């Protein structure tokens, strides 16, 4: 037996018990007469004591223990004279009577502490030591709890978890597939699923009624920060439902998860149309933890002789409360430069400060104080506030101002710690016209249904009509992060076929890639819809963390590499031959 | 709203309620004045009634409904005059006041009944209709429940579910990997995991203490009957444990699963060494639902002048109770031929019938009645019984007799319906010597630890010693099916390195493939061990079904093809170019 108790378990009531513990040496402290060893496992840290006088041999051995040695120790629990109130086991210590080294350890390449001195690369290479650290360990345990609670709730609601296949068919639409050569079918390939979308729809056609799955998905994208080639979804689908049913069900799931993992009751789940979200916050995933709503100043600011505004499609502002004095000319200059970076691309930044001794503004030359003061009401501004104004092409300007709004939220700590603001964004456009490729793109995906009232228009309308179609699609946004997205699906062959047409599929392409689905629609497909939650992101948002990486046990780096196992790697020629493949690396042209 | 109730929900207490139902038309019956429609969904079937006289238009429409049309119907619940006690909703019917067709259906290619007329290929191609059938649907729901109960139990025991990566590194050891070309790292490949073995060990080194995962695994094997290229495991690992701890924990899991899905209390989980299992049943996964233990007849049957026995390493028999009269000479001939098929490969089959009027045997010429009668006690045979005897090389003979034993069990229905007999098989050999490749193979896998007492012998012994090493490995067998297998793992670099040596790895190969694991063993690896359950098989065995295929929503056929979506398939040249790959199909040589 390696242990009678864990290292997080013993309390004052256990004093006098004989116990055996196993774990890792967190630290040893030699005070001459006494040696203390902090023994750590997943559950906590317990102090071991060795008395040089009473057990000289044991104490000598203990003094030789290095960090991260794995030992087990037998002894008797006793009360500590010097209690540690910051540790659950801090009232007791173990007077060790016997101990053994289960495994030695080289000196770890970084400290196994909450705040480590290991950089990202070292941590990933030695992930097994990184996981011993509390923050990573707790994240992984949180993730496990969250998945269990997801399953418990959905099961209670009658959902069936069905595993869909990982070796499926490649479909060029959307992101790039990872493919898997088939040895038994030379020259042919499986693809790894970007999502189980078609399979869950097939399950609805199969009468499964309520499906879910917590499932790995794969996308071969050029990795931007915080993207992973494999990621996890809570994937759900329901039959015989309207958007209303789905929103209610998954508001329920979200409430359950917050309640049963964080013990938090969430407030309202307001709903906002896509258009409204863009108008009020310049984003389809607005962070509602703070205000700073957009105020349209076209009427007030255009036609007053300031040519920049006059030539703009939109003049729009936000009010930062109580910070009129926080921005010197130098600060404004810095902020303007920040807004002008290519990532944001604003042309300039106009400010208006409402000060006790008057108004100050970068457009003071063009607008007199009276005019500027007249904007206050509409802006909700008072003395002491500063207003930022952008102008230009409508869509771009809103996006730029959204970035500024978020920056202000972060910079001025407008966000209450531990606050959660959920929001359903609804009524998305069905299709986006892409000037570059001269075709429509699906705003959500090709299986999303237009709103019922728009179906006739979709089947019979002209090109311009298509731009105005609304989808029965919805996103769940929490704290400005898109947590989930879904839609009511098309369940009619004709409508699906029309959608593929609009998206630029030839009949043959549509048939080859999605013929099975359109075929299924001819054999009794019920109305259905669903949603998928980004599980990694949900974990991070619920814990107020910006990165998903430490909620994934073994993440890959930005080159898609696993630094610990050193994957991907070259494979044998034999393997390639069996797969009827040859590697042909082209020289990169400059 | 598509429905107020499901089709499985309404009872006599609901009579008088206005309800809305949605579902599939299972059948329509037109009795002139009345038309009955059986409406089906996942939850059951409810009868709809249309009265020709009162609602002629509705009834006319109902008469036109085809099988598998999706409709919704509003009406009032009323008591049936002609109740159907075989149906949960059989006391009521719905007098329909309004209905609509949500989707039409072509005539299904097979009947949506418990016993269908669809062959395997049709069922797979139109899996969405197959899943509507009760047996498949119930299997998938069972699977979902089983996975939930697994998670609930393991969570209660402190296990953390950790997702390990699917894009890992190819290792030529063991079965063939599926590989995934990396676009970002030209010429390099990921592999899909055959199991998360090394990652779960790494998690133990990472202090996770108790890990589990219900996880997809992948093996590119030539598919034998009832093998799938992707399959699911309940994968578990624990630190600071002995074999005893693991056996107890997973006996607990197994009991929990039977209790909470089948409401069955399992009996004992006996333990049997690998050697004993082979000796008594000729198999390392004996079916204990019936007796027919092997009886060694070397002493009794050899040296009596029958040259076939005399030249055999082993003479061994089994007694079939009460069937002496069931086997005519013709039956014996047929059975002998069955045993001589290449799959089994017996040279012949000897029988001894103990009849009321004497003994009858195919070796009566060589053994007199007195001798044959003298074997009765040892064989546990009485008058009325027939004994089957095989002889030859020991290992082969036992395997052949095991096949005969199982055949007798099936043929003579020696197995009580719904009986479950679990068994732990323990003390497996560590290594198997393979004459052909002139090297050792790992009986379990390369990470399995030798028993503690054998570790010194392993590090210091000679070639013959290696053959006698025993592993700390164990299999859970239920009803003759291997449900789970695992072992205590090596956690010491030196021992692991020695094992790789024995398995024929060069130092470089071992380092390249498993260097990260051996490296991890140098930074405080705790003793650990684990187990993996074959989840698909467990589902099948618990339901007394021979095939795993209908516990998988979308299985592949024996060519590894998904018949519904038609995967694998060819991919674009663009895709191949992006992956720096070319297809090179060699002409098959005859």
């Amino acid at each position: 037996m390696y242990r009678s108790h864990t290292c997080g378990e013993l309390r004052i009531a256990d004093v006098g018990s004989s116990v055996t513990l196993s774990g890792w040496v967190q630290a040893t402290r030699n005070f001459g007469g006494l040696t203390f060893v902090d023994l750590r496992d997943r559950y906590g840290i317990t102090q071991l004591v060795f008395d040089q006088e009473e057990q000289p041999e044991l104490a000598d051995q203990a003094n030789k223990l290095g960090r991260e040695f794995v030992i087990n120790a037998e002894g008797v629990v006793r009360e500590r004279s010097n209690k540690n109130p910051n540790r659950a086991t801090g009232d007791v210590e173990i007077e060790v009577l016997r101990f053994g080294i289960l495994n030695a350890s080289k000196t770890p390449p970084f400290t196994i502490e909450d705040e480590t001195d290991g950089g990202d690369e070292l941590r990933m290479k030695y992930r097994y030591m990184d996981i011993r650290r509390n923050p990573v360990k707790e994240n992984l345990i949180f993730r496990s709890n969250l998945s269990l609670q997801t399953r418990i709730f959905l099961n209670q609601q009658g959902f069936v978890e069905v595993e869909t296949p990982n070796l499926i068919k490649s479909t060029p639409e959307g992101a790039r597939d990872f493919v898997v050569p088939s040895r038994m079918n030379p020259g042919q390939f499986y693809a790894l699923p970007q999502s189980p979308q078609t399979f869950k729809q097939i399950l609805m056609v199969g009468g499964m009624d309520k499906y879910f799955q917590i499932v790995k998905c794969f996308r071969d994208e050029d990795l931007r920060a915080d993207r992973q080639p494999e990621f996890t979804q809570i994937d759900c689908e329901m039959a015989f439902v309207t958007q209303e049913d789905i929103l209610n069900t998954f508001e329920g799931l979200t409430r359950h998860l917050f309640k049963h993992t964080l013990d938090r009751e969430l407030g309202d789940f307001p709903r906002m149309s896509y258009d409204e979200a863009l108008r009020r916050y310049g984003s389809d995933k607005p962070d509602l933890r703070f205000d700073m709503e957009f105020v349209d100043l076209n009427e007030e600011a255009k036609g007053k002789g300031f040519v920049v505004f006059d030539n703009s499609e939109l003049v729009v502002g936000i009010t930062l409360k109580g910070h009129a004095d926080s921005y010197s000319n130098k600060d404004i200059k810095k902020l303007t430069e920040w807004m002008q970076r290519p990532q944001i691309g604003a042309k300039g930044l106009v400010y208006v400060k409402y000060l006790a001794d008057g108004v100050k503004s970068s457009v003071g030359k063009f607008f007199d104080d009276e005019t500027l003061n007249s904007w206050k009401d509409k802006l909700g501004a008072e003395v002491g506030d500063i207003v930022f104004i952008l102008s230009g092409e409508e869509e771009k300007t809103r996006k730029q101002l959204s970035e500024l709004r978020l920056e202000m939220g972060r910079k001025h700590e407008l966000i209450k710690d531990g606050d959660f603001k959920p929001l359903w964004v609804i009524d998305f456009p069905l299709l986006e016209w892409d000037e570059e490729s001269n075709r429509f793109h699906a705003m959500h995906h090709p299986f999303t249904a237009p709103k019922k009232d728009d179906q006739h228009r979709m089947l019979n309308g002209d090109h311009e009509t298509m731009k105005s179609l609304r989808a029965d699609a919805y996103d769940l946004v929490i704290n400005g992060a898109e947590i989930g997205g879904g839609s009511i699906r098309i369940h009619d062959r004709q409508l699906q076929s029309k959608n593929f047409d609009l998206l630029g599929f030839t009949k043959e392409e549509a048939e080859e890639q999605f013929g099975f689905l359109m075929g299924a629609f001819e054999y009794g497909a019920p109305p259905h819809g669903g949603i998928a939650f980004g599980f990694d992101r949900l974990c991070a948002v619920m814990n107020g963390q910006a990165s998903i990486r430490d909620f994934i046990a073994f993440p890959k780096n930005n080159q898609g590499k696993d630094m610990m196992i050193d994957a991907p790697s070259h494979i044998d020629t034999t393997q390639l031959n069996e797969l009827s493949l040859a590697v042909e690396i082209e020289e990169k042209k400059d």
Side-chain angles (χ1 to χ4, degrees), chain A:
Chain A
M1 191 193 57
Y2 286 106
R3 58 186 175 192
S4 61
H5 296 75
T6 69
C7 297
E9 200 173 349
L10 294 169
R11 299 287 183 276
I12 197 79
D14 298 302
V15 165
S17 308
S18 292
V19 299
T20 307
L21 299 185
S22 289
W24 286 261
V25 172
Q26 175 75 25
T28 56
R29 294 181 301 282
N30 180 354
F31 291 120
L34 290 176
T35 295
F36 296 99
V37 172
D38 278 347
L39 193 67
R40 187 197 69 237
D41 66 11
R42 173 181 139 197
Y43 310 94
I45 292 181
T46 299
Q47 176 166 294
L48 312 179
V49 201
F50 301 81
D51 191 316
Q52 184 69 46
E53 206 154 303
E54 286 175 26
Q55 304 257 25
E57 221 170 289
L58 269 191
D60 285 349
Q61 285 167 25
N63 284 327
K64 287 181 202 143
L65 289 172
R67 279 197 291 135
E68 300 307 311
F69 272 49
V70 185
I71 66 169
N72 75 339
E74 286 173 44
V76 177
V77 184
R78 69 182 194 198
E79 187 169 359
R80 271 170 79 160
S81 54
N82 193 4
K83 296 197 174 51
N84 180 349
N86 298 321
R87 196 178 276 176
T89 62
D91 288 350
V92 297
E93 61 192 6
I94 313 297
E95 191 186 352
V96 177
L97 304 173
R98 193 207 62 75
F99 86 96
I101 294 173
L102 297 171
N103 219 338
S105 175
K106 296 201 220 168
T107 305
F110 50 83
T111 53
I112 312 299
E113 307 271 1
D114 289 6
E115 301 289 334
T116 182
D117 54 358
D120 253 20
E121 207 146 310
L122 264 189
R123 287 177 50 211
M124 291 307 141
K125 177 159 184 198
Y126 299 98
R127 187 66 160 172
Y128 41 86
M129 279 181 276
D130 198 30
I131 291 173
R132 290 181 201 157
R133 295 172 50 239
N134 272 323
V136 182
K137 181 191 76 183
E138 294 302 335
N139 281 356
L140 295 179
I141 292 174
F142 177 85
R143 184 184 178 106
S144 176
N145 289 338
L146 194 67
S147 73
L148 183 69
Q149 288 302 333
T150 302
R151 289 181 160 110
I152 286 174
F153 177 85
L154 290 175
N155 190 269
Q156 282 165 355
Q157 303 292 316
F159 284 77
V160 180
E161 185 163 23
V162 180
E163 293 172 59
T164 53
N166 274 29
L167 297 172
I168 66 168
K169 186 169 172 157
S170 188
T171 53
E173 169 71 8
R176 221 182 262 104
D177 285 325
F178 282 105
V179 297
V180 181
S182 166
R183 181 181 52 86
M184 290 209 278
N185 304 278
Q188 297 189 23
F189 292 78
Y190 302 100
L192 300 179
Q194 296 183 28
S195 93
Q197 181 62 34
T198 52
F199 286 98
K200 66 177 176 175
Q201 293 191 238
I202 286 288
L203 285 169
M204 294 304 103
V205 181
M208 200 41 80
D209 205 80
K210 291 178 179 175
Y211 144 93
F212 85 103
Q213 189 182 189
I214 301 184
V215 61
K216 273 278 178 76
C217 301
F218 305 85
R219 270 177 215 171
D220 184 11
E221 292 176 300
D222 297 316
L223 300 178
R224 282 175 281 165
D226 220 31
R227 284 276 184 115
Q228 289 284 320
E230 46 181 310
F231 55 97
T232 304
Q233 273 183 198
I234 306 174
D235 192 53
C236 306
E237 197 79 2
M238 304 169 79
F240 302 115
V241 287
T242 59
Q243 173 176 300
E244 188 64 28
D245 298 317
I246 294 185
L247 265 45
N248 289 333
T249 302
F250 293 96
E251 176 176 328
L253 171 64
T254 309
R255 287 186 185 280
H256 176 93
L257 294 181
F258 275 81
K259 176 73 189 155
H260 289 87
T261 60
L262 299 179
D263 196 21
R264 288 288 302 263
E265 301 282 356
L266 288 180
D268 284 346
F269 281 60
R271 297 177 190 183
M272 195 181 286
S273 75
Y274 173 82
D275 287 344
E276 185 184 349
L278 286 184
R279 200 177 65 241
R280 291 172 58 188
Y281 301 100
S283 165
D284 61 0
K285 45 183 185 194
D287 188 338
L288 298 191
R289 287 177 297 177
F290 63 105
D291 296 330
M292 293 186 77
E293 270 193 49
F294 287 15
V295 177
D296 186 331
L297 294 172
N298 273 4
E299 208 173 300
E300 289 75 11
K302 284 170 74 169
K304 300 278 155 71
F306 179 41
V307 67
V308 174
F309 283 177
D310 291 350
N311 290 340
S312 290
E313 199 179 349
L314 176 71
V315 181
V316 59
I318 48 175
T319 302
L320 175 63
K321 304 296 292 178
H323 278 283
D325 291 330
S326 313
Y327 284 84
S328 66
N329 285 347
K330 206 174 134 196
D331 295 329
I332 295 281
K333 188 161 171 265
K334 253 174 77 179
L335 189 61
T336 306
E337 281 164 7
W338 186 85
M339 290 292 291
Q340 288 171 331
R341 290 172 313 141
Q343 297 95 308
I344 298 183
K347 294 222 180 69
L349 177 65
V350 168
Y351 74 89
V352 183
K353 291 183 191 174
Y354 294 106
L355 300 161
D357 56 353
V359 188
K360 207 181 156 210
S361 169
S362 43
V363 292
K365 273 184 278 181
F366 305 97
F367 300 92
D368 57 27
D369 284 10
E370 196 185 345
T371 307
L372 292 174
N373 270 320
S374 75
W375 297 356
K376 269 165 83 178
D377 267 5
K378 188 156 188 194
L379 284 161
E382 301 161 303
V383 168
D385 298 348
I386 180 168
V387 172
F388 295 107
I389 298 170
L390 293 181
S391 64
E393 189 271 316
E394 172 159 1
E395 202 181 315
K396 277 187 196 157
T397 304
R398 290 199 190 280
K399 278 193 187 150
Q400 292 159 0
L401 193 61
S402 170
E403 294 297 332
L404 180 62
R405 175 178 175 270
L406 292 175
E407 174 66 8
M408 293 297 104
R410 287 186 289 265
K411 193 167 161 185
H412 298 292
E413 296 175 353
L414 304 180
I415 294 165
K416 212 167 66 197
D417 220 33
D419 197 12
F420 293 104
K421 287 286 186 236
L423 168 72
W424 286 110
V425 178
I426 58 176
D427 297 346
F428 283 82
L430 183 70
L431 303 163
E432 274 182 308
W433 180 253
D434 183 29
E435 295 289 349
E436 228 169 281
S437 58
N438 203 35
R439 46 166 280 207
F440 283 110
H441 284 292
M443 185 92 177
H444 183 224
H445 58 46
F447 313 104
T448 296
K451 285 195 161 288
K452 219 160 194 166
D453 295 342
D454 281 355
Q455 292 188 4
H456 183 77
R457 294 204 299 138
M458 181 170 173
L459 288 171
N460 302 288
D462 61 7
H463 184 81
E464 279 310 303
T465 306
M466 298 308 147
K467 293 186 183 172
S468 70
L469 299 173
R470 293 286 131 174
D472 248 342
Y474 31 81
D475 275 359
L476 177 60
V477 174
I478 299 179
N479 294 357
E482 185 198 324
I483 292 300
S487 62
I488 299 297
R489 325 299 184 184
I490 297 170
H491 64 280
D492 172 80
R493 185 182 177 114
Q494 194 197 356
L495 204 59
Q496 185 65 67
S497 182
K498 173 72 182 184
N499 207 24
F500 284 134
D501 286 352
L502 289 170
L503 296 171
F505 285 76
T506 66
K507 289 279 174 232
E508 293 69 34
E509 284 167 351
E511 187 57 37
E512 198 201 322
Q513 293 171 37
F514 300 110
F516 68 97
L517 185 66
M518 289 192 288
F521 289 171
E522 296 183 311
Y523 286 101
H528 62 284
I531 194 167
F533 284 64
F535 191 63
D536 310 288
R537 176 67 53 204
L538 180 60
C539 287
V541 167
M542 288 181 75
N543 287 280
Q545 293 183 27
S547 167
I548 62 172
R549 199 171 285 196
D550 276 340
F551 290 90
I552 297 171
F554 302 101
K556 295 195 171 51
N557 73 8
N558 281 349
Q559 282 76 49
K561 283 182 182 291
D562 183 319
M563 302 299 285
M564 184 182 73
I565 63 172
D566 188 23
S569 61
H570 292 279
I571 60 174
D572 285 355
T573 318
T574 330
Q575 269 176 292
L576 280 173
N577 289 344
E578 281 186 335
L579 297 170
S580 309
L581 286 181
V583 169
E584 294 194 338
I585 300 180
E586 273 183 67
E587 298 296 315
K588 282 263 163 69
K589 285 165 198 152
D590 286 314

